[in-house]
Amino acid sequence: MPQLSTHLAARRLAAQLPALPADMKGNQGRERARYAFVTRTLSSLGADATVTGDRAEDWRRVARQLAILWQMGRDEFRVNVSELERSARAAEAEEPAPAGAPTGTGPHGGDLIFPWQATAEDWISVPGGPSGPFDEATMAMPDRKGIARTVVLIDQGHRFHPGGPQLVSVFLESGVLIERLVAVSERAQAREQWAKDHQEWHAR
């Protein structure tokens, strides 16, 4: 059992987080946005809640933003933030990863998963957006209120001739799930559709 529950750890980190130095409030507000994200997410974790729907991911994002603030900071602020980043990594390790499909089956019959649960072998579909091989899921730059979306990169090479668009970026709000489809059948259908489109193009 952990010596300190993660919601208490979040409250402790929030209390220990130093104020953002005045010399870090420029840069078009990017560090202020990162700082707001950290405080907002720690507040949620401290209330036994979650921003993304996955508390371990919340901690990962806090740790990453603290690491960036460390890079941009100086002197005592840098030292303090470095210690908090290590604490955030430790808290992340205490959070159990969501197992299986968080909320069941998607509209196409696949498993609903968090974007960061997808792997390079997966074929995914996003709500109201494209489908294709998964490439990457990462946190977008937070806004001034500390709200950050998830950027999902999806390979679209199966839809175009070589040299055409390969990756598309889809921005998802916090808590939105993606659907993991059966990759073998999706690839087969994509090849059939490409051959059909290719034949129709040359028949013009």
Side-chain angles (χ1 to χ4, degrees):
M1 292 290 291
Q3 292 183 350
L4 186 66
S5 68
T6 55
H7 80 276
L8 291 179
R11 294 177 188 176
R12 185 185 66 183
L13 262 68
Q16 294 175 343
L17 183 66
L20 189 69
D23 61 2
M24 292 180 66
K25 294 181 179 179
N27 193 22
Q28 298 180 332
R30 295 178 70 84
E31 275 57 71
R32 280 184 290 176
R34 296 186 195 281
Y35 189 90
F37 172 84
V38 170
T39 56
R40 175 176 176 267
T41 306
L42 287 176
S43 176
S44 176
L45 289 166
D48 262 346
T50 172
V51 173
T52 64
D54 176 355
R55 287 177 60 87
E57 177 66 13
D58 288 354
W59 280 113
R60 278 191 290 273
R61 295 185 177 198
V62 165
R64 288 171 189 156
Q65 297 309 304
L66 287 172
I68 295 173
L69 289 171
W70 172 85
Q71 289 178 319
M72 302 300 294
R74 294 186 299 180
D75 303 328
E76 186 177 357
F77 177 83
R78 203 171 199 234
V79 172
N80 291 337
V81 167
S82 176
E83 294 174 355
L84 296 181
E85 190 266 346
R86 286 194 293 270
S87 296
R89 295 289 182 192
E92 174 197 339
E94 298 290 349
E95 297 285 0
T103 60
T105 304
H108 302 98
D111 289 336
L112 292 174
I113 60 174
F114 291 110
W116 46 89
Q117 289 181 298
T119 67
E121 292 75 33
D122 289 334
W123 193 291
I124 64 166
S125 174
V126 298
S131 64
F134 171 81
D135 185 83
E136 184 182 8
T138 188
M139 174 185 146
M141 179 68 202
D143 64 18
R144 294 293 182 90
K145 296 180 180 179
I147 298 172
R149 295 183 291 174
T150 299
V151 185
V152 180
L153 297 181
I154 304 174
D155 190 345
Q156 294 293 280
H158 61 282
R159 298 183 54 205
F160 302 99
H161 291 285
Q166 293 296 307
L167 295 176
V168 296
S169 300
V170 180
F171 289 81
L172 301 178
E173 302 298 331
S174 291
V176 173
L177 303 175
I178 62 176
E179 188 173 359
R180 180 165 52 201
L181 306 176
V182 179
V184 173
S185 59
E186 293 296 326
R187 288 193 180 93
Q189 291 176 27
R191 285 194 295 268
E192 291 176 5
Q193 185 63 51
W194 193 95
K196 179 181 178 182
D197 293 342
H198 184 72
Q199 184 178 24
E200 289 180 355
W201 173 263
H202 288 282
R204 293 180 180 183

